[in-house]
Each structure stands twice: as structure tokens, then as C-alpha cells.
Amino acid sequence: MTPAEPCNCAGPLSEVERLRREVAELRGRLRARETRRPLDSILESISDAFFALDRDQRFTYVNRRAEQFWSKPREALLGQNIWEVFPQAVDREIYGKLQRAMRERTTTGFEAVSPVTRLWISGRAYPTPSGGLSVYFQDISERRRAEEALRRSEERYRSLVTASASIVWNADVGGRILQEIPSWETFTGQTFEEYRGIGWLDAVHPEDRLRAAEGRKLTAHAQKPFRAEYRLRDRAGSYRHTVVRGVPIRNEEGEVCEWVGTVTDATERKKAEEALRESEERFRKIVEQSPLAIHVFTPTGVPLRSNTAWKEIWDLGESPAAANVFDEERVRAAGLMPIIESGAAGVETTTEPILYDPARAGLNGEPRWLEAFVYPVHTPGGRLSEVVLMLEDVTERRKAAEERERFRLQEWTVRAEVAERERISRELHDRVAHSMGVVHQSLQLYEALAGVDPLRATEKLELAKKMAKTSLDTTRDLSSELRRSEIGEGLVPALRNLLEVSVPDGIRRELSVRGEESRLPDSLRGQIYLILREAVRNAVRHSGCTNVKVGLRIVPQEVSGFVEDDGQGFTCGGDDPAGLGLRSMEERATLLAGSFKASSAPGKGTRVEVRVPLRQSQGG
């Protein structure tokens, strides 16, 4: 059959029908908006900026924080290509990161200066099942300025230490200062007369003074190098942490004759240590209180630390974790070994939800859906030091999603059934009423012509008989369609039976199937069957064909089917008997959020095709 240009052969809709469809579409959009509102509310309330892109990198969602960051209303962004809106970002670091995430379908993090606002931002891009990206980011300019200020402060401190070094001192065997120390005077503000002998103790913090005095005596007695930490008063009157080091100087007889040493200002180091302790304590509390199950281990699998949620997610109770994460049967039963091995190899990885069934490890408990994230941690030198594994129990979230999908399918099935009955009611009116009108008119003409023109009267009687039979056949067909389609044994067996029953012996029939029917929910199978059945019946009734071919193709993204014949064909848009059937098929496809196409030309046969997208949750 020679392909022809696709056309819409459903015929013009009446004004009432058009308005009815517009109302139905408006109600669908309102229901979709109500369903999406809780998620929109969350995205609008988070502190991060968020936007979503489709597979063509067009904005499909922009939250309030992103609007504020870019100083652009979302109405100016939605539906626009991000790189056309922000051409200055092309070929920049963030552009490369997002392109990689889009191309490789992997989670990607970025931290760089925004070429749009010239502010520092940090974010992550997550691939979405629809082929696009979800991107979270936040303005970290303040943090970067603080880091830069800290770096400069540390640089100034190092320069000060290098320039002034430490206070170098010397004392007699009893720890008494006998010579002037200019750097001491500069630091403490004491004069030589004030710090001479043991006067230097006056500059030591009162709480440390006794310890310093006792330490002086003990050191003099032990005659060994020493290290001590005291707080010294500087010339401004503030006390600073210092590290005091001293070594004995011996004479030729090996006796200690004096002491030399240094006093180093350790205040900044102390502050850094305290800040580090506070930071580690905050981190420990965050980890411990996190709802995520967190487990930190070495690249060889030795556990370093884990939180309470980690024990709870595996029902460990008081039982200790395995001595090595690679030997943990629960982790192995959950199928997490590949992601752990990936982390141990230094690769950051995220998983789709995976099912953990404790029974696989010989344990009790309910199966759980887990989402895993693994992050390798490197030292500043680039060495892999530890691996962080985080698990999120998404069981309830998945159950909620499945429940929502179940309700959606129920609603969709009810709507489909209502639409089917409306369609059949309409066809009863259009086709049967029209035929019976012809019968009635022909019988009236028969009575009028029987006495004056017997030949024409006979023709009108034959026409009445023919149209009466057509009405009977149409009524029988439509009545059978009111019953559920017989696909109890599956869509493919139903199609095979359809060809055997509906296609006469003189017509060659062929069925081709690709893909797994198990991907399709029952309600969708029924609607696909009804569309293809109508197409087969049209071909048999109206085309005068000698061959009918039916095809079904099921892939993860969509299900498609076609019916092709080698019959007489028709002119697209013309007055063809199959027009009502084509219109009903198109209506069904539209109800399924799919597409319908009919291609035909006189003498070239006909091909009708339907395509319906599949959601991820469909099929199982």
C-alpha cells in the first residue's frame, strides 16, 4: 500500500459536541491542577530555588525563589528554552554540568558563579523519568565571601608569623629572665624591669600563673625539653593562648647552664580547634537526628560511624553491625553491593527505589522500598578517605503514589466507560435513526408509487428492506459494544480471535506483536482493543479489501497499534461510510491522552494508527 498524507477523517464536530469536549478538557486541567497543588506548595515554600526542564530543555516549572534570583516572572520563562532565555550561560561551567546530566541521565552537582547574576550558586541536577531535569540551587555568595575572608585572615596570620616569628627567650638555670627580649616587650607591653627575673609571670593569666610557676620549678629540676600552654596578656590587655617551648643548654660538663625557647601565639589555632570541635559536634547531631539512615565506612568497608536510623532501617536493635559492610547480609539482600562498590571506587552514585525483603537474608520484617545515595569523601590531596552511604525509606511515599495511580486509573476507567456509552448513544442516533428514516421514507414512496409506477415502487421497497437490514446489523453491533470487550485472556488472544471471527474467509489476515503485554493495565488493554476492533470492522465492511494486517507494539514509553488494508480507500475529508467509526476511534484515543491518524487515498487502501503514552507506574 502506498503511504498517503495523514488526515483527520472524523468529520466536523457539531457545536454542542465541541463545547462538550472543551468543558471536559477544562475539567481535566482543573483536576490536574488540584492534584499538583500539594507538590507546588512544597516547592514554593522551600528555601532553595527550583526549576524543571523537559527533554527539550524548556522550562516546565519555576518556583518563587528562582523568580526572585533571576528577577524574571515565571510567565516569561515557562515554555522557553533555558539557553535562549540565558544565552550568556552557554559554554559556561553550569551549562556543561546540566548538559552532562541531561545526556548521561546522572545526578550532577555544581558550584560556580552564575553567568546571569554574577552570584555564587551551589546546586544539584536530577534527571527526571520524562527525559528532563529537576534542578535545585541556592545563593552561596555570603558563604563564599565568608570563606574568602577567612582565607585572607589566615593568610595575614601566616604572614605575621613569618614576619615576626615567635618570641625567642632565654633564661638562667632557674628560669629567671636576665636579658632584654624586645619581642616580649612588643607582645606584652611589659618593660624589662617588669619582666626581669620571674616578673614575666605577671603577664600570665591568673588562672594559669600557679601552674606556670610550678612548671618552671619542675622543668628546672628535670632538665629536659618542655612544652606548655599558657594564656598571656598582650599589650592591649587581652589574654591570648600561647605555646611555650624550651630546651636546656648544657656546658662542657653536661650541666644545664641556661634555657632557650620560644613563645608562639596559638590563639587562632585554639579558635580553629574549638570551631572544629563545635562543627564536628553539630555534624554528629545532624547525622544522629537525620531521618536518613547514614553509614560511613572506609574504602575497604570498615565501619566508622552510623546513626540510629541505620540500625532502625535494618532492625538491628542492640545487635552490632557487621565488622565490614561488604559482609553485611542485609545490605547484600537489598541489592546494595553494586552501589557500595561504586562508592569504594570513588564514584558518586544514586539509585532508583529498590525493594529490600528481609526474608532474603533469613530475617523477619516487612519488605521496604529504599533509595540509596553514596558519596565518596576525598582528602585535599585527592585521596579517598571514606565513603558515606545514605538510605531513605520511601515505602510510604511509594504506597501513596501507587494509591494515587490506582484512583487515577479508576477515574479514568469510569470516564472511558461513560464516554463509550455516550458514543454508542450518539451512533445509535446518527446511524440507526438515519437508516430507519430512509426505511420510513421509502415505504411512503412505495405506497404512493405502487399504482402509478410499479417499477419505481419496487425499487423503493427493496431500498427499505436493505436499510432495515442495515439498521438491524448496526443495532446488533452497537449492542455488543455495550458489553465489556472480551480480553479476559489478554489483548493479543482477543485480537487473534477478532481476526478469526470478524474477517471473512476470503480475506487474508495477519497479526504482528512486539513487546510485553504485561506492561499494560487492564483498562488500557480494553480501550486499545476497542479502537483496533472498530478499525478491523471498518476495513471488512467498507473497503472491499483482500488483505487486513493488524499490528501491536509495546515499549516502555508507549503502546501503539495499527490496522492496514489494501481496499479501495477513500478521499480524506470526503463523505465516507467509515467516517463515524473513524471519529469514535479518534475520540477514544484522545480520552487516553494519545494520538490517532488515518491515511488513505482512492485505490490505495487505508491505514489507521493509534499511539498512547505509558506512565512509569503503568504496567505493574
Side-chain angles (χ1 to χ4, degrees):
M1 164 176 144
T2 303
E5 289 296 322
C7 73
N8 181 357
C9 300
L13 295 174
S14 68
E15 182 65 17
V16 173
E17 183 61 19
R18 183 183 65 80
L19 292 175
R20 182 185 301 169
R21 292 184 59 187
E22 289 181 356
V23 170
E25 291 173 357
L26 178 58
R27 288 174 176 170
R29 288 198 297 270
L30 290 174
R31 280 192 290 271
R33 185 180 303 169
E34 289 298 321
T35 303
R36 195 177 64 241
R37 184 171 297 170
L39 176 60
D40 289 353
S41 177
I42 293 173
L43 292 176
E44 291 299 319
S45 64
I46 62 176
S47 59
D48 286 1
F50 171 83
F51 64 90
L53 303 176
D54 63 15
R55 64 176 63 248
D56 295 322
Q57 304 188 43
R58 296 187 299 253
F59 285 105
T60 59
Y61 187 86
V62 178
N63 77 349
R64 178 175 53 83
R65 292 304 294 268
E67 286 185 297
Q68 295 171 350
F69 181 80
W70 285 321
S71 298
K72 284 182 177 290
R74 67 187 71 188
E75 292 79 10
L77 299 172
L78 295 179
Q80 302 297 314
N81 183 282
I82 182 173
W83 311 119
E84 294 177 359
V85 176
F86 303 122
Q88 64 271 46
V90 175
D91 295 331
R92 292 305 202 46
E93 180 180 350
I94 297 176
Y95 174 87
K97 293 281 189 178
L98 296 188
Q99 292 300 321
R100 177 187 174 191
M102 180 73 76
R103 181 177 61 254
E104 299 180 2
R105 312 308 299 159
T106 57
T107 299
T108 301
F110 56 87
E111 185 168 312
V113 175
S114 167
V116 179
T117 62
R118 309 309 300 170
L119 297 174
W120 275 93
I121 60 174
S122 175
R124 298 190 69 77
Y126 299 89
T128 61
S130 62
L133 290 178
S134 291
V135 184
Y136 296 82
F137 69 93
Q138 56 182 212
D139 183 348
I140 60 169
S141 301
E142 290 297 326
R143 192 194 81 190
R144 293 291 297 197
R145 281 193 287 269
E147 291 174 348
E148 180 62 17
L150 177 61
R151 185 192 66 78
R152 292 178 180 176
S153 175
E154 292 174 346
E155 184 65 26
R156 285 194 297 270
Y157 172 69
R158 285 192 293 269
S159 300
L160 177 63
V161 170
T162 301
S164 62
S166 301
I167 301 172
V168 180
W169 57 269
N170 67 311
D172 67 7
V173 67
R176 291 178 290 271
I177 302 298
L178 302 178
Q179 297 179 359
E180 293 184 359
I181 308 174
S183 55
W184 178 274
E185 296 174 8
T186 301
F187 185 86
T188 65
Q190 285 183 311
T191 65
F192 175 59
E193 292 301 323
E194 289 174 333
Y195 64 82
R196 186 175 183 177
I198 61 173
W200 59 270
L201 284 169
D202 292 337
V204 178
H205 193 283
E207 295 179 0
D208 300 338
R209 194 170 297 161
L210 179 60
R211 180 165 55 85
E214 293 295 329
R216 179 184 67 87
K217 296 177 182 178
L218 292 173
T219 300
H221 178 73
Q223 298 185 350
K224 294 179 179 180
F226 74 91
R227 179 187 182 280
E229 295 190 14
Y230 308 132
R231 286 168 287 178
L232 285 182
R233 185 182 65 245
D234 62 16
R235 64 185 306 114
S238 300
Y239 285 93
R240 300 185 67 82
H241 291 274
T242 60
V243 176
V244 182
R245 294 181 176 86
V247 294
I249 304 300
R250 300 179 184 274
N251 58 21
E252 294 179 354
E253 288 76 26
E255 298 174 345
V256 175
C257 60
E258 66 175 328
W259 291 84
V260 297
T262 61
V263 178
T264 303
D265 188 344
T267 304
E268 297 303 321
R269 178 178 63 80
K270 280 285 188 178
K271 290 181 179 179
E273 290 174 351
E274 182 63 25
L276 179 60
R277 282 193 295 271
E278 292 177 357
S279 175
E280 289 178 343
E281 180 63 19
R282 285 196 299 271
F283 177 74
R284 187 191 66 77
K285 290 181 179 179
I286 291 173
V287 169
E288 183 59 31
Q289 297 173 6
S290 172
L292 299 179
I294 301 175
H295 189 61
V296 184
F297 55 92
T298 68
T300 59
V302 177
L304 297 177
R305 51 192 174 276
S306 58
N307 64 355
T308 301
W310 175 265
K311 293 183 178 181
E312 292 175 349
I313 206 167
W314 302 117
D315 296 321
L316 289 175
E318 298 300 322
S319 304
N324 193 295
V325 70
F326 292 107
D327 299 328
E328 179 58 71
E329 285 301 320
R330 295 171 176 83
V331 174
R332 190 178 299 277
L336 292 172
M337 280 304 158
I339 188 175
I340 291 177
E341 292 169 352
S342 175
V347 180
E348 180 180 317
T349 310
T350 303
T351 70
E352 294 294 327
I354 56 178
L355 180 63
Y356 163 59
D357 187 351
R360 297 176 188 168
L363 303 171
N364 297 324
E366 294 296 324
R368 300 175 180 174
W369 285 96
L370 305 177
E371 195 169 275
F373 316 85
V374 64
Y375 297 97
V377 180
H378 296 84
T379 65
R383 180 180 62 84
L384 179 62
S385 60
E386 58 188 34
V387 181
V388 181
L389 173 63
M390 294 187 291
L391 300 177
E392 182 180 4
D393 189 336
V394 297
T395 304
E396 294 304 318
R397 190 172 71 193
R398 188 177 181 91
K399 287 180 179 179
E402 291 174 350
E403 188 68 11
R404 286 194 302 270
E405 182 64 16
R406 186 174 68 83
F407 282 125
R408 189 194 68 81
L409 288 176
Q410 287 179 347
E411 178 188 4
W412 174 67
T413 300
V414 170
R415 289 177 58 202
E417 290 176 352
V418 170
E420 171 68 3
R421 281 160 175 76
E422 290 178 351
R423 182 190 67 83
I424 292 178
S425 174
R426 184 175 60 250
E427 293 193 9
L428 280 170
H429 176 272
D430 293 346
R431 294 164 63 179
V432 176
H434 171 73
S435 298
M436 293 308 296
V438 173
V439 170
H440 181 264
Q441 184 182 45
S442 297
L443 291 176
Q444 286 182 324
L445 290 173
Y446 170 76
E447 291 178 353
L449 296 171
V452 296
D453 192 344
L455 181 60
R456 288 187 61 195
T458 301
E459 291 176 353
K460 294 301 178 181
L461 182 60
E462 291 300 322
L463 177 59
K465 292 178 180 178
K466 178 181 177 182
M467 295 308 295
K469 184 178 185 305
T470 298
S471 297
L472 180 62
D473 292 341
T474 300
T475 302
R476 186 183 297 112
D477 290 344
L478 292 175
S479 297
S480 67
E481 290 182 16
L482 285 171
R483 299 189 297 272
R484 284 187 173 272
S485 56
E486 301 299 329
I487 59 168
E489 297 181 1
L491 176 57
V492 174
L495 291 174
R496 189 176 292 113
N497 181 69
L498 171 67
L499 292 178
E500 291 177 357
V501 173
S502 300
V503 179
D505 292 338
I507 300 176
R508 184 175 177 272
R509 62 192 74 113
E510 179 182 350
L511 174 64
S512 64
V513 179
R514 290 177 55 192
E516 294 294 329
E517 182 182 337
S518 59
R519 295 180 182 273
L520 306 179
D522 291 341
S523 53
L524 181 57
R525 297 181 200 180
Q527 296 301 315
I528 294 294
Y529 173 78
L530 291 176
I531 293 173
L532 297 180
R533 184 183 69 179
E534 182 70 22
V536 169
R537 288 179 174 176
N538 271 1
V540 171
R541 290 172 182 165
H542 307 298
S543 72
C545 62
T546 59
N547 290 280
V548 174
K549 182 177 181 180
V550 178
L552 181 67
R553 178 173 175 267
I554 305 169
V555 296
Q557 296 78 23
E558 69 172 13
V559 55
S560 62
F562 71 87
V563 175
E564 187 176 281
D565 67 65
D566 62 350
Q568 62 189 6
F570 57 90
T571 301
C572 293
D575 184 14
D576 185 80
L580 290 174
L582 293 174
R583 185 173 66 183
S584 69
M585 286 185 272
E586 182 178 27
E587 290 175 355
R588 287 184 189 277
T590 300
L591 186 62
L592 300 175
S595 63
F596 175 81
K597 181 174 70 173
S599 304
S600 185
K604 301 296 185 180
T606 302
R607 176 186 173 93
V608 297
E609 183 174 6
V610 60
R611 293 177 178 271
V612 178
L614 292 178
R615 300 191 179 205
Q616 276 197 331
S617 57
Q618 289 179 347

